[in-house]
Amino acid sequence: DLMINSIYTNREIFLRELISNASDAVDKLYFASLTDKDIQLNRADLRIVVSSDQDSRTVTVSDNGIGMTKEQLDLNLGTIAHSDSLAFKSDNSEAQGGDVDIIGQFGVGFYSAFMVASKVRVVSRAYGHDEAWAWESNGVDGYTITAAERSEHGTDVILTLKDNTDEESYDEFATEYGLRNLIKRYSNYVRYPVMMEVTKTREVARPAGDAEAAEGDAVELQPEYETYTELDTINSMIPIWKRRGTDVSQEEYNEFYKSDFHDFSDPACTFTVHAEGALSYDALLFIPSRAPYDLYSKDYKKGLALYSSNVLIMEKCEELLPDYYNFVRGVVDSQDLTLNISRETLQHNSQLRAIARRIEKKVTAELKKMLENDREEYERFFDNFGRGLEFGIYNSYGMLKGELADLLMFYSAKQEKLVTFAEYVEAAPADPKVIYYACGDSVERLRKLPVVQSVLSRGYDVLLCTKDVDEFCFQAMMTYGEGDDARELKNVASGDLALASEDEKAAAAETAKAHESLFAAMKDDLGGEVERVTVSSRLTREDEAPACITTEGPLSLEMERIMAQMPDAGGIKSQRVLELNAAHPVFAKLTAAQKDGDADKVRLYAELLYNQALLIEGMPIDDPVAFANAVTQLM
């Protein structure tokens, strides 16, 4: 009792363990037939049968495998942690994975039966022996071995289920539905047929006279159905991921994906990994064609289904996928994994890390292949899952940009389509070595921003970024490319964009110096909302906006907007700069008001220009009513 409750946490796995034991018993007999010509055996006759009796509340797992003698019952079942299968596997290691596929290795799986059973009876007859023996125990007071009857070689494990309590119900384990579910879930790919009596329905054939009479009376006969039971194979046996790729159609892969991962859409991409050597494993991986509804919720759990020797160990092994590839679905199957004694978790993570690294590289390669060969499909993929790739760069402080940056896509204001960084650089002038971008909530609004229009008017492209993680990703990346080809990522609303000519810079500096008192007054009127007011070197034409907001330091307006939505944001604000277009008629109005000594008008114009620039950027203003009143006053 101490061992059972300290090793196992999930009582459902009792059936997995018993079916695995039965499979090992059948495997041992089959292997014996290969090495002993006196054993005449048809492999097609080997099977495992699961049955139940709801009235007596029993569940039985039967096999026609090698069976056990009285001495073997005493040794194998009477000694905890003695594994006859492990000894067999070691003695015949050269055949493991080929002629045989022994699952057991710890000698404790059988005892998981006591999680659901108040009594376990094992009736076994060894191959080549006439007598059968019964081992019986309640899991508390030891065990007995007595003579029994069994018509052929093999073993029956009969569980008498525990009584139900207020907290626990065991009835489900004696139902056809419950047993079928457990077989399909945990033992679907055991290599021998796992069979059950299954309830089915069929239409009852009517006597010919009834049909003729009904036709003569012009009466439509309603079909009648009857239920019957039939011994049916429940498991699939051969895993799809162990079949050769040339033998599996894409339709079969699609059906497996939709059935096992509960999606109604075909996957966007399917690929396999097959590794042999110090660590051998098979993997079948899928990239979904749409994001699950809870992908970005705290309840979503990433991971691949992990199998060992075709038996499910974990439904979602998180260690096999990095967070930025959390959308990948699939299975990994390996005989070489070091499992812990319950086979519910893994003992050594170094093996998992080796598999995870290979899978990560394979996913990256497949995504790049999709980008190159199926642009339309890749754009749909990036719309669904691109946020996760960007978060991977941000969360690694830019360490993963070499692996993930080439998978990112953003809308090009100049080319009017999604482009990669590489495509942006290919179409851009050689200098300055900068990639310009703007962040906001929609492409349409970003395209109209004065700071974006000023860059476009000079012949440079701007990436219009609408995901909430974009700015954080770019800040972590800092640059794209390597060495002399590296390009700085620069927000068009940040400091110097390196686009103004020397003459433009000199003219702006001269104008700023000439109107120092005006800019100082406007800064005071804005009550510390801005770090400074200055002449813009990016807005230089009369037909451009009269003013714009830019920022200094690492925090952009977009980052401020996103962080303001978080709990306990604490009023974080960027270092704002109000830039004025000296060529715009409004600037002349400002300078005239300053010259006339009209401080109220200067204050009014400063507030209007500042709030107007904030609205254009999609930022909230402190007092919308005061802004509306000021506009009305001017009207």
Side-chain angles (χ1 to χ4, degrees):
D1 186 67
L2 175 64
M3 187 207 68
I4 294 160
N5 290 290
S6 62
I7 288 179
Y8 297 104
T9 58
N10 179 10
R11 63 183 187 171
E12 287 183 350
I13 58 91
F14 83 93
L15 192 59
R16 178 194 74 180
E17 297 298 320
L18 297 182
I19 289 175
S20 297
N21 288 347
S23 175
D24 285 350
V26 173
D27 242 352
K28 290 171 188 175
L29 180 59
Y30 175 67
F31 183 72
S33 72
L34 299 178
T35 56
D36 186 347
K37 294 180 180 179
D38 293 333
I39 300 178
Q40 299 299 314
L41 193 66
N42 183 357
R43 186 171 184 179
D45 295 332
L46 299 174
R47 64 178 61 181
I48 301 162
V49 178
V50 178
S51 59
S52 66
D53 186 329
Q54 288 183 266
D55 294 331
S56 61
R57 303 184 77 250
T58 59
V59 176
T60 302
V61 179
S62 300
D63 67 71
N64 56 354
I66 201 163
M68 288 178 280
T69 63
K70 180 181 180 182
E71 292 73 20
Q72 288 170 330
L73 279 171
D74 190 32
L75 179 63
N76 295 337
L77 303 188
T79 309
I80 291 175
H82 171 80
S83 177
D84 185 62
S85 291
L86 179 61
F88 183 90
K89 185 191 293 188
S90 301
D91 294 341
N92 302 281
S93 58
E94 74 284 349
Q96 176 69 8
D99 295 326
V100 297
D101 190 8
I102 297 298
I103 300 167
Q105 56 182 301
F106 297 115
V108 297
F110 166 76
Y111 306 104
S112 64
F114 288 104
M115 288 194 294
V116 300
S118 59
K119 183 178 69 174
V120 177
R121 178 178 170 84
V122 180
V123 179
S124 190
R125 176 178 167 181
Y127 184 86
H129 290 71
D130 296 329
E131 69 276 5
W133 298 91
W135 181 99
E136 190 168 325
S137 175
N138 61 5
V140 178
D141 301 320
Y143 61 93
T144 60
I145 299 178
T146 55
E149 295 292 330
R150 198 178 196 277
S151 60
E152 62 172 3
H153 58 85
T155 302
D156 302 323
V157 180
I158 304 135
L159 313 184
T160 301
L161 296 176
K162 292 180 180 180
D163 294 331
N164 296 328
T165 65
D166 293 338
E167 293 79 23
E168 301 281 0
S169 174
Y170 297 91
D171 289 343
E172 62 182 299
F173 299 125
T175 65
E176 178 186 320
Y177 174 80
L179 291 172
R180 286 187 63 173
N181 246 9
L182 294 183
I183 294 169
K184 294 289 286 184
R185 184 176 181 183
Y186 292 104
S187 306
N188 198 31
Y189 304 110
V190 168
R191 62 193 292 172
Y192 294 101
V194 180
M195 310 187 80
M196 272 185 63
E197 284 284 342
V198 177
T199 302
K200 299 183 178 181
T201 60
R202 61 190 172 196
E203 187 174 348
V204 178
R206 292 181 179 276
D210 290 352
E212 291 171 1
E215 187 176 346
D217 296 336
V219 176
E220 183 180 352
L221 290 175
Q222 295 299 319
E224 294 181 3
Y225 296 90
E226 65 176 359
T227 60
Y228 68 102
T229 60
E230 182 177 72
L231 193 63
D232 205 0
T233 300
I234 307 300
N235 61 326
S236 302
M237 287 182 281
I238 301 176
I240 193 171
W241 56 84
K242 286 193 174 179
R243 293 162 59 187
R244 290 189 303 177
T246 54
D247 295 337
V248 185
S249 67
Q250 186 58 49
E251 288 71 24
E252 288 178 290
Y253 280 134
N254 292 347
E255 286 306 312
F256 170 79
Y257 167 76
K258 289 188 284 190
S259 172
D260 274 43
F261 300 106
H262 312 295
D263 196 348
F264 57 80
S265 302
D266 291 339
C269 184
T270 304
F271 49 98
T272 59
V273 181
H274 177 71
E276 292 183 349
L279 183 61
S280 300
Y281 60 91
D282 297 285
L284 173 59
L285 306 172
F286 302 94
I287 295 176
S289 57
R290 62 183 186 88
Y293 71 93
D294 60 344
L295 179 64
Y296 298 110
S297 74
K298 65 179 181 180
D299 297 325
Y300 181 80
K301 187 177 180 181
K302 66 171 182 172
L304 302 176
L306 183 64
Y307 286 77
S308 180
S309 297
N310 300 349
V311 175
L312 180 65
I313 303 301
M314 300 173 69
E315 284 192 296
K316 288 190 176 181
C317 182
E318 297 184 53
E319 290 89 343
L320 287 172
L321 288 174
D323 287 342
Y324 48 89
Y325 286 157
N326 65 347
F327 52 84
V328 177
R329 313 298 297 273
V331 299
V332 172
D333 189 352
S334 175
Q335 297 177 356
D336 298 331
L337 294 174
T338 305
L339 306 176
N340 79 346
I341 197 168
S342 69
R343 292 200 294 160
E344 291 179 317
T345 55
L346 298 166
Q347 195 70 22
H348 295 301
N349 286 330
S350 58
Q351 296 165 314
L352 274 190
R353 285 194 293 269
I355 297 174
R357 282 194 296 269
R358 175 76 184 274
I359 287 175
E360 182 180 346
K361 290 179 180 178
K362 182 66 174 177
V363 173
T364 302
E366 291 295 327
L367 289 176
K368 288 181 178 177
K369 189 188 299 184
M370 187 194 300
L371 174 59
E372 294 168 4
N373 301 331
D374 193 345
R375 182 63 172 246
E376 186 177 344
E377 186 65 58
Y378 187 83
E379 289 184 6
R380 280 195 293 269
F381 156 78
F382 192 78
D383 182 54
N384 281 310
F385 305 110
R387 178 180 279 104
L389 304 184
E390 292 184 65
F391 181 76
I393 294 176
Y394 166 70
N395 200 42
S396 67
Y397 302 99
M399 297 290 289
L400 290 170
K401 68 178 181 179
E403 179 177 350
L404 299 177
D406 285 330
L407 297 174
L408 305 184
M409 303 190 82
F410 306 96
Y411 189 85
S412 162
K414 194 173 184 179
Q415 301 179 51
E416 298 186 342
K417 64 178 182 179
L418 288 173
V419 298
T420 63
F421 282 130
E423 290 165 344
Y424 177 101
V425 171
E426 184 180 358
D431 290 306
K433 291 188 179 298
V434 176
I435 294 175
Y436 297 105
Y437 68 91
C439 293
D441 54 9
S442 74
V443 166
E444 291 73 20
R445 190 183 67 76
L446 286 171
R447 197 199 308 267
K448 298 174 185 176
L449 290 180
V451 288
V452 172
Q453 287 297 317
S454 69
V455 175
L456 291 174
S457 67
R458 295 172 185 266
Y460 297 94
D461 199 359
V462 180
L463 299 179
L464 307 181
C465 309
T466 57
K467 294 186 180 72
D468 51 11
V469 73
D470 289 335
E471 178 81 34
F472 297 90
C473 173
F474 289 170
Q475 293 273 7
M477 284 183 64
M478 299 175 63
T479 60
Y480 169 75
E482 297 181 354
D484 295 337
D485 295 327
R487 293 203 172 215
E488 182 184 1
L489 299 171
K490 184 162 284 195
N491 192 320
V492 292
S494 62
D496 183 15
L497 298 183
L499 291 178
S501 66
E502 293 302 320
D503 291 342
E504 288 172 330
K505 290 179 181 179
E510 185 178 343
T511 304
K513 186 174 182 180
H515 299 90
E516 282 182 356
S517 59
L518 170 63
F519 297 152
M522 293 178 70
K523 181 178 182 300
D524 291 340
D525 290 336
L526 293 175
E529 290 292 312
V530 297
E531 293 292 313
R532 58 193 176 90
V533 179
T534 189
V535 173
S536 178
S537 61
R538 69 192 83 208
L539 302 177
T540 58
R541 301 198 314 267
E542 183 178 339
D543 61 346
E544 291 181 315
C548 67
I549 296 287
T550 61
T551 59
E552 295 177 337
L555 191 65
S556 69
L557 286 173
E558 179 66 9
M559 292 175 76
E560 177 190 325
R561 184 180 68 82
I562 293 170
M563 293 175 72
Q565 300 170 5
M566 299 178 182
D568 303 321
I572 297 174
K573 281 197 173 184
S574 56
Q575 295 173 278
R576 301 176 182 180
V577 176
L578 178 61
E579 295 189 8
L580 303 178
N581 183 355
H584 198 280
V586 164
F587 189 74
K589 294 285 186 180
L590 269 170
T591 55
Q594 173 72 4
K595 186 177 180 180
D596 294 342
D598 192 344
D600 289 340
K601 183 174 285 189
V602 170
R603 178 184 54 77
L604 176 64
Y605 286 176
E607 291 175 352
L608 279 172
L609 286 172
Y610 176 67
N611 286 327
Q612 172 188 288
L614 283 177
L615 289 173
I616 290 173
E617 289 288 342
M619 299 292 290
I621 58 179
D622 290 339
D623 193 344
V625 174
F627 177 75
N629 289 339
V631 173
T632 303
Q633 180 183 339
L634 283 177
M635 293 172 66

